[in-house]
Amino acid sequence: MPSAQLCLRTARGYLCSNSGQEKLLARSFSSTSRRHEINKVYPSAREAIADMKPNSTLLCGGFGLCGVPDTLINEVHAQEHLTGLIVVSNNAGTDNSGLGKLLQSKQIKKMIASYIGENKTFERMYLTGEIELELSPQGTLAERCASGGKGIPAFYTPAALGTVVQTGELPLRNNPDGTPKEYSYPKDVKVFDGKQYLLEESIKGDYALVKAWKADKLGNCQFRLAANNFNGAMARNARMTIVEAEEIVELGAIAPEAVHLPGIYVKRVIKSTTEKEIEKFTFAKGEEDIDVKAALGSGETAAKRERIVRRAAKEFKNGMYANLGIGMPMLAPSFVGPEVEVQLQSENGILGLGPYPVKGKEDADLINAGKETVTLKAGAAVFGSEESFGMIRSGRIDLTILGAMQVSDSGDLANWMLPGKIKGFGGAMDLVSNPEKTKVVVTMEHTDKKGNAKIVKQCEFPLTGKACVSMIITELGVFEVDFATGLTLTEIADGVTVEEIKSKTEAPFKVANDLKPML
């Protein structure tokens, strides 16, 4: 056997010879054309999903109808043998589009989602036991997918503490008559730095269906505007990630710093052949004029809502970062003066949200959390849903304004479910998860349509968050909430008496010594 010294001398001689250098260089893939032979582009969606099996777990990007991989979904729909699917997505499209088609064809046996929304088929199938539903707070869902893609099996989050998500009282499946048949399981709770957090397990996916703006032959992808949403998190967390791209480009056409999804996560790429859809067309009357009056309604209802919205607008302070719920909260910026500059965040991945677009200038890749068409302000940023909710949970949002069905005297909030109806959590549980840093303001009418009090001793409806609301604004007045001592009426509307407010409020409250006029 040759000695070690002889081997070293031989290697040195080999390296010093020209032929040896050429042979070594030939082993460097970057110096040859071999790398350019890698091509992940498939000729069709049918071929890209040809090996998909029934009962697979399918991760699907998109938010509303924005960034939805419709070409791939349509092909799954066409393959009738693909049944028993477990589908993970923020929502399930509409009744006749996106994942709604797979619900209609009964190819999905279970959904893991944060929101049902206006999809009546989804709601009916869940309430009558035709489909299993694991509801997850939107930020938790994004992080469960993102963490799974990073090899992290579980994590702790402050979202949903004290709700049915924690206690295991969330129905996973119902009987045909709507009564619960099977419940979720209780979550482990642990204390970090004096605060409680829930343990959530990451999600593992067999296939991920993803929509991109541009993709190259190596699978590098670029997303456009708010179409990133859940696509990046889903793409990183599946054994087989399939991307449909609006444009398939040559290597180098996407600048390295513009690659949002590196090709290492992507196995297959196809050309998208489906037109993009918009769920809610929402327009301004002019370049800078939002049609607020129309959005408020008419008559007495409009007068009540305008009073609430005008008062809510006073909570904006210069330099704030704020997140606004759908409905009345979204109208509050219209009543803010030009001297106050606020950066609006939308949980589907926008910072620097602008007004509604003028008709004809809407963009399918630009929607807000309510699926409405919007614009961006100069200096705006867009990103994935997992990063958006990281901003929220960590307390970087100064203010959130939400609607409510009920608020208790200790600041508990219920705003996601009424008996016999269910919309889902959406992002609300995350938005109220850090009340120490994010001020939570509720805007709502003082009573429901039947005249029942909405400010109560204890919420009857399932909670969105415990001890999280700092202020309640109604058409009758403004309440400050102390989580320990309860409610204090600090402002009262013109023409309203304290006695009237007491008659319409179930929860006890104190009256401030310096009770001020509202507005």
Side-chain angles (χ1 to χ4, degrees), residues 369-391:
K371 285 73 170 190
E372 300 170 324
T373 48
V374 291
T375 61
L376 299 179
K377 285 187 174 181
V382 291
F383 32 82
S385 294
E386 72 278 15
E387 182 168 358
S388 181
F389 282 98
M391 298 174 186

Side-chain angles (χ1 to χ4, degrees), residues 203-247:
I203 290 172
K204 299 178 180 66
D206 297 319
Y207 287 80
L209 306 185
V210 174
K211 176 70 176 290
W213 178 30
K214 296 179 179 179
D216 65 23
K217 297 176 183 179
L218 285 175
N220 295 310
C221 296
Q222 184 177 12
F223 301 114
R224 183 173 181 272
L225 301 174
N228 189 333
N229 51 64
F230 278 81
N231 277 300
M234 299 297 192
R236 290 170 171 84
N237 184 19
R239 292 187 298 102
M240 174 63 68
T241 293
I242 308 173
V243 170
E244 69 170 78
E246 293 176 49
E247 299 178 35

Side-chain angles (χ1 to χ4, degrees), residues 19-34:
S19 60
Q21 288 177 356
E22 289 169 359
K23 290 178 182 176
L24 284 173
L25 286 172
R27 298 298 303 277
S28 176
F29 296 121
S30 61
S31 67
T32 72
S33 61
R34 290 175 62 95

Side-chain angles (χ1 to χ4, degrees), residues 181-481:
K181 181 179 182 179
E182 181 184 353
Y183 284 95
S184 58
Y185 58 90
K187 302 290 176 69
D188 179 61
V189 178
K190 192 169 182 178
V191 176
F192 297 91
D193 297 325
K195 184 173 179 176
Q196 293 182 311
Y197 295 80
L198 301 187
L199 180 67
E200 289 281 1
E201 292 187 15
S202 298
I203 290 172
K204 299 178 180 66
D206 297 319
Y207 287 80
L209 306 185
V210 174
K211 176 70 176 290
W213 178 30
K214 296 179 179 179
D216 65 23
K217 297 176 183 179
L218 285 175
N220 295 310
C221 296
Q222 184 177 12
F223 301 114
R224 183 173 181 272
L225 301 174
N228 189 333
N229 51 64
F230 278 81
N231 277 300
M234 299 297 192
R236 290 170 171 84
N237 184 19
R239 292 187 298 102
M240 174 63 68
T241 293
I242 308 173
V243 170
E244 69 170 78
E246 293 176 49
E247 299 178 35
I248 297 177
V249 299
E250 294 299 323
L251 299 182
I254 306 174
E257 65 273 17
V259 173
H260 298 137
L261 176 67
I264 193 170
Y265 297 105
V266 177
K267 295 290 193 298
R268 298 168 186 172
V269 176
I270 66 158
K271 180 76 167 63
S272 180
T273 59
T274 308
E275 290 292 323
K276 293 186 283 191
E277 296 184 69
I278 294 176
E279 188 169 348
K280 296 180 182 179
F281 288 89
T282 315
F283 303 113
K285 288 194 299 184
E287 290 290 342
E288 298 294 336
D289 185 14
I290 299 172
D291 195 357
V292 177
K293 296 293 184 183
L296 288 170
S298 59
E300 186 180 346
T301 298
K304 287 180 182 180
R305 290 176 178 173
E306 182 171 344
R307 188 183 304 168
I308 295 168
V309 171
R310 283 186 179 277
R311 176 57 187 84
K314 289 189 172 184
E315 293 305 304
F316 293 114
K317 302 295 185 290
N318 200 40
M320 268 188 172
Y321 291 95
N323 182 293
L324 307 178
I326 60 175
M328 282 193 288
M330 284 296 296
L331 302 176
S334 305
F335 297 97
V336 177
E339 71 282 359
V340 178
E341 183 179 357
V342 175
Q343 293 292 312
L344 296 181
Q345 195 250 22
S346 187
E347 58 259 40
N348 57 310
I350 298 174
L351 189 62
L353 196 63
Y356 297 126
V358 175
K359 191 170 185 177
K361 294 186 178 181
E362 64 275 7
D363 189 323
D365 292 333
L366 261 184
I367 64 168
N368 64 15
K371 285 73 170 190
E372 300 170 324
T373 48
V374 291
T375 61
L376 299 179
K377 285 187 174 181
V382 291
F383 32 82
S385 294
E386 72 278 15
E387 182 168 358
S388 181
F389 282 98
M391 298 174 186
I392 291 167
R393 288 190 303 269
S394 62
R396 286 172 170 79
I397 303 301
D398 302 299
L399 172 71
T400 184
I401 304 178
L402 301 168
M405 296 162 185
Q406 290 179 332
V407 181
S408 78
D409 58 4
S410 59
D412 297 344
L413 170 67
N415 78 343
W416 69 272
M417 182 181 179
L418 288 170
K421 296 182 179 181
I422 183 168
K423 295 296 184 185
F425 306 143
M429 287 186 174
D430 298 270
L431 284 164
V432 302
S433 67
N434 198 346
E436 297 86 0
K437 294 184 178 179
T438 300
K439 184 175 183 179
V440 179
V441 175
V442 162
T443 55
M444 65 180 186
E445 293 180 36
H446 208 91
T447 60
D448 64 19
K449 293 178 181 179
K450 295 181 180 179
N452 298 314
K454 296 173 73 173
I455 303 175
V456 295
K457 295 178 183 177
Q458 185 174 347
C459 294
E460 296 177 2
F461 303 139
L463 294 185
T464 304
K466 285 187 68 67
C468 58
V469 177
S470 296
M471 177 180 283
I472 307 168
I473 302 172
T474 77
E475 76 278 11
L476 302 183
V478 178
F479 293 87
E480 296 282 354
V481 184

Side-chain angles (χ1 to χ4, degrees), residues 2-51:
S3 67
Q5 190 173 6
L6 178 61
C7 289
L8 287 171
R9 282 202 303 269
T10 304
R12 260 190 228 107
Y14 184 73
L15 286 170
C16 290
S17 70
N18 289 333
S19 60
Q21 288 177 356
E22 289 169 359
K23 290 178 182 176
L24 284 173
L25 286 172
R27 298 298 303 277
S28 176
F29 296 121
S30 61
S31 67
T32 72
S33 61
R34 290 175 62 95
R35 178 169 177 163
H36 300 290
E37 293 173 9
I38 299 174
N39 189 349
K40 299 181 180 180
V41 178
Y42 275 58
S44 69
R46 175 170 295 184
E47 291 179 70
I49 70 162
D51 57 0

